[in-house]
Amino acid sequence: MRFCEELSYQELVSSDRVIVYGAGVFGLRFLEACKRYFYDKEKIIVWDMKYDEIKTVLGFRVSKPDLNKINDCENVVVVIALSSEKKQLIADLVQIFRQNGYQKIVTADNVIHKYLNAESDIVVKNAGLKNRKKSNRKNNCKNNLKNNCKNNLKNDCLSKNIIYLLHDSFGGSVKTTEDLIKYFAQKHNVFLLISNGCRLILYQWHNGVLDIEEKWDLTNHWHISKLYDDEYAKIYHEIYTKYHIDIIHCCHLFMHSFDAVKVGHKLKKAIFLSIHDFYYLCPSINLVNDKGDYCKIQCLECPSFKMNQAAPAWVSHTWQREVRALFKYIAHFFAPSLYAIEIYNAIYPEISARNALIEHGMEAYQKADNSYFAENTDKIKIIVPGNLTYNKGGDYIRQLYENDVDKKLEFHHLGAIDDEYRPYVLSHGKYLRAELPDYIKKIKPLFIAILSVCPETYSYTLSEGLGLGIPCLVTDIGALGERGKKGGCIIAGINEPKQTAERIISLSQDKEAYENLFIEAKNIKLKTINEMGEAYEKIIERHGLLHEPKTAGSI
């Protein structure tokens, strides 16, 4: 029995189809681990002989696929999601699939262990973050909580119980939450509550890992138009009281009801909120009008959010009114850029005295060198990291490509991409953050481009580029423009793709000018994870929380 052990991560996530054989425990475990990597769920086919056609709670359709139709796809991966004890059945399935022309065959456990867990997502097992089987630990935990927490929780009078609220996703807000959990777990008892809109999952940090404590399948699935819900409220109340929560940190309330804050306030908990994007200004988040341009928060003129039907047209009335009421209960706000603070203060001036500017921290990269500058005589190589959509600069890159008459610009894209932009880039598929230095060595780019045409509140990809010491190309909008002006970047006029293309080419032909820009990028000081954690800690301490002795009877 031979499996395709050499299947790369890129082959898996960039495949045309993934057939998952088995919708039982192993199949659902695989789907839950991989769903955040596959943006197009239609490409994943779940096949289980027990079912004709059902839909799992994770949103994947279970059916019996037509193998002849799937054979039309060039790149298909088969994942056998069965217990390793069923060796003969697995062997028979491997033979059947191979007879039908499928060569890329792996087991679910092999994929999860080898690839999907390697990403730094907070819900996926990784570097000390993992989901264990609950077994009897859940009941033991409840009993031990009642007995002054004898289950390895810190039990001195200065340790607090902190809960972080987040949606089930990936990206900057997840990465920052992961780093904060690791930092505060050194001194305090840390919990994480994740919502995917259908289920709430509570995790607790134990000895360097996040363990699942409890799960709640929601009868009332989350919807943006229902800001409060009794079912959610009861669960929040149960968690805050049962686990003696002292501090509630709302890292993101997307897919949570506003009861998370309201209930915490009624229980007299300290509540903090991080501003990672523009969700609390507008649930469309991207701040894009019907023409695809930055809307400049002109809510009263918004044409019913044609660009994003998930965002209702009552933003300036219902949404911002309810957010303003919610913000009264927040002790302090954390924002990663001055731009984010200014734009929120413009809409909610009453929170200005409670804002703190704390840049996201990151692990240090080994700086690249520019010894390969002389090698780039023919092509000017530019890496474009992250998902490439219209909002993230896909159309801007198309315009750069079209204005490059001699075709000297060569764009290398890492991540998911809308098909309409594939002709203008060399796509390398999705990538792991840890792999970025390897791509730098392989591609040898002169620049890293982050060309969002809508404002960002920070941009992790810009930090990654500058962290590697590579000059970056950024648009002159939002936090990208703010950070780019500090050095190491070319500022691209949002309406000036032709001038930007000419400037890139000109700079790339001037060794001295490029080296000066390279030195600027290399000398940019980024906040470390510890520095970020210390900054959060100081703000929370200012409210007399972290070192305030617990009252009798609390954990």
Side-chain angles (χ1 to χ4, degrees):
M1 180 171 61
R2 182 174 65 84
F3 292 106
C4 185
E5 300 291 349
E6 299 305 317
L7 184 71
S8 70
Y9 172 81
Q10 285 76 16
E11 286 181 289
L12 176 66
V13 297
S14 63
S15 55
D16 297 324
R17 288 286 186 275
V18 176
I19 300 175
V20 182
Y21 186 92
V25 174
F26 289 91
L28 292 177
R29 179 173 172 239
F30 169 77
L31 293 173
E32 188 168 7
C34 79
K35 67 176 181 176
R36 55 184 56 81
Y37 301 96
F38 292 91
Y39 290 85
D40 182 7
K41 288 184 178 180
E42 296 300 319
K43 71 190 268 184
I44 298 182
I45 299 172
V46 187
W47 188 8
D48 195 299
M49 298 302 292
K50 296 179 182 178
Y51 308 105
D52 288 328
E53 186 170 346
I54 65 170
K55 196 170 185 180
T56 74
V57 294
L58 300 173
F60 296 97
R61 189 162 296 281
V62 179
S63 60
K64 294 178 181 178
D66 186 334
L67 293 180
N68 291 325
K69 289 184 179 180
I70 296 175
N71 273 329
D72 293 338
C73 299
E74 295 181 359
N75 186 11
V76 180
V77 174
V78 176
V79 178
I80 298 179
L82 299 176
S83 168
S84 57
E85 297 176 356
K86 300 180 179 180
K87 295 181 180 179
Q88 188 56 52
L89 177 56
I90 292 175
D92 293 342
L93 287 170
V94 169
Q95 185 177 359
I96 292 171
F97 277 111
R98 290 204 186 283
Q99 287 174 350
N100 281 274
Y102 300 102
Q103 300 302 315
K104 296 179 180 179
I105 305 173
V106 293
T107 61
D109 278 347
N110 182 37
V111 173
I112 293 170
H113 173 72
K114 195 170 182 180
Y115 305 116
L116 298 184
N117 291 343
E119 171 64 5
S120 60
D121 246 338
I122 197 161
V123 181
V124 181
K125 182 170 57 177
N126 154 61
L129 298 178
K130 70 177 182 180
N131 307 336
R132 294 177 176 172
K133 289 184 178 179
K134 288 166 57 176
S135 62
N136 295 322
R137 234 195 51 72
K138 173 182 169 183
N139 293 329
N140 291 338
C141 177
K142 292 180 181 177
N143 294 331
N144 288 333
L145 278 166
K146 295 177 182 178
N147 295 315
N148 290 323
C149 213
K150 298 178 182 178
N151 59 335
N152 296 324
L153 289 182
K154 299 171 183 67
N155 196 27
D156 60 83
C157 65
L158 298 182
S159 294
K160 300 295 181 178
N161 300 327
I162 306 173
I163 190 168
Y164 293 87
L165 274 59
L166 191 64
H167 55 290
D168 187 7
S169 186
F170 51 89
S173 58
V174 175
K175 179 62 178 171
T176 300
T177 303
E178 173 189 335
D179 292 335
L180 287 174
I181 285 176
K182 289 179 181 178
Y183 178 85
F184 280 97
Q186 298 175 70
K187 302 177 184 177
H188 304 280
N189 306 315
V190 175
F191 300 82
L192 170 68
L193 183 63
I194 292 284
S195 173
N196 66 4
C198 301
R199 174 185 289 180
L200 290 173
I201 304 178
L202 180 67
Y203 298 82
Q204 185 175 352
W205 184 275
H206 288 284
N207 300 321
V209 298
L210 277 172
D211 288 343
I212 293 178
E213 288 298 332
E214 298 190 63
K215 295 181 181 180
W216 295 266
D217 290 319
L218 300 167
T219 303
N220 304 324
H221 291 179
W222 178 87
H223 190 271
I224 192 68
S225 63
K226 194 171 185 180
L227 303 181
Y228 294 92
D229 187 282
D230 288 342
E231 183 180 16
Y232 285 80
K234 289 177 182 178
I235 296 172
Y236 295 132
H237 189 280
E238 177 185 351
I239 293 170
Y240 296 162
T241 54
K242 181 187 295 183
Y243 293 93
H244 302 276
I245 298 300
D246 300 300
I247 297 170
I248 301 168
H249 189 155
C250 302
C251 292
H252 212 303
L253 289 178
F254 179 57
M255 292 191 182
H256 284 276
S257 82
F258 282 10
D259 299 287
V261 172
K262 188 175 180 180
V263 171
H265 173 71
K266 286 184 177 180
L267 293 174
K268 298 181 178 180
K269 306 299 182 182
I271 308 171
F272 298 87
L273 185 142
S274 289
I275 294 171
H276 290 288
D277 52 35
F278 304 108
Y279 179 68
Y280 307 105
L281 299 178
C282 171
S284 70
I285 296 177
N286 293 320
L287 304 186
V288 176
N289 61 22
D290 60 329
K291 297 179 181 178
D293 300 323
Y294 173 39
C295 70
K296 299 181 181 179
I297 325 294
Q298 303 298 316
C299 299
L300 295 178
E301 301 173 13
C302 183
S304 301
F305 297 89
K306 295 178 182 178
M307 294 293 290
N308 190 337
Q309 295 300 323
W314 38 261
V315 136
S316 63
H317 302 287
T318 304
W319 180 260
Q320 290 179 1
R321 183 188 67 216
E322 293 292 344
V323 169
R324 179 172 278 108
L326 194 74
F327 277 3
K328 293 188 299 184
Y329 306 136
I330 306 299
H332 222 95
F333 298 83
F334 304 106
S337 65
L338 182 61
Y339 174 81
I341 289 178
E342 289 176 345
I343 198 170
Y344 266 87
N345 286 350
I347 304 299
Y348 306 112
E350 65 273 18
I351 73 172
S352 59
R354 291 176 284 154
N355 271 327
L357 171 58
I358 303 177
E359 290 191 36
H360 296 324
M362 62 175 292
E363 297 174 358
Y365 282 123
Q366 182 178 354
K367 300 285 186 178
D369 63 63
N370 64 340
S371 59
Y372 54 79
F373 180 91
E375 300 177 23
N376 287 270
T377 54
D378 183 33
K379 293 291 186 180
I380 300 169
K381 298 179 181 179
I382 303 172
I383 285 183
V384 184
N387 302 332
L388 193 57
T389 61
Y390 177 87
N391 293 342
K392 293 297 184 179
D395 205 56
Y396 196 93
I397 286 176
R398 177 187 62 77
Q399 294 178 69
L400 289 175
Y401 180 90
E402 291 174 348
N403 280 287
D404 174 23
V405 179
D406 297 325
K407 293 294 174 280
K408 294 184 69 67
L409 302 180
E410 184 177 277
F411 295 97
H412 293 256
H413 176 249
L414 310 176
I417 182 173
D418 285 356
D419 288 340
E420 62 183 297
Y421 303 121
R422 290 187 183 277
Y424 314 111
V425 302
L426 297 175
S427 182
H428 297 266
K430 296 183 182 179
Y431 72 107
L432 303 176
R433 281 194 175 96
E435 296 174 337
L436 189 55
D438 294 331
Y439 279 106
I440 296 295
K441 293 176 182 177
K442 177 183 176 182
I443 298 171
K444 300 179 179 178
L446 289 187
F447 302 98
I448 290 180
I450 304 98
L451 297 169
S452 299
V453 295
C454 303
E456 305 273 3
T457 57
Y458 189 67
S459 178
Y460 252 103
T461 48
L462 177 55
S463 293
E464 290 169 349
L466 293 174
L468 286 163
I470 303 295
C472 294
L473 175 66
V474 298
T475 42
D476 59 347
I477 187 171
L480 287 176
E482 174 188 324
R483 298 181 65 193
K485 292 171 184 175
K486 295 178 181 179
C489 297
I490 294 179
I491 307 297
I494 196 120
N495 297 313
E496 301 175 343
K498 184 177 185 298
Q499 295 91 323
T500 299
E502 292 172 350
R503 189 178 176 195
I504 295 171
I505 294 169
S506 175
L507 185 61
S508 301
Q509 294 171 344
D510 187 336
K511 184 174 182 180
E512 183 178 354
Y514 178 81
E515 284 184 344
N516 289 337
L517 188 65
F518 189 93
I519 291 170
E520 281 186 14
K522 206 167 186 177
N523 290 334
I524 292 291
K525 179 70 168 63
L526 298 173
K527 192 178 290 291
T528 66
I529 292 174
N530 279 341
E531 288 172 340
M532 176 185 69
E534 289 168 1
Y536 274 87
E537 194 171 22
K538 286 179 181 178
I539 297 296
I540 298 174
E541 282 179 351
R542 191 186 301 172
H543 291 269
L545 295 169
L546 290 182
H547 295 298
E548 177 185 339
K550 288 178 176 292
T551 57
S554 62
I555 297 174

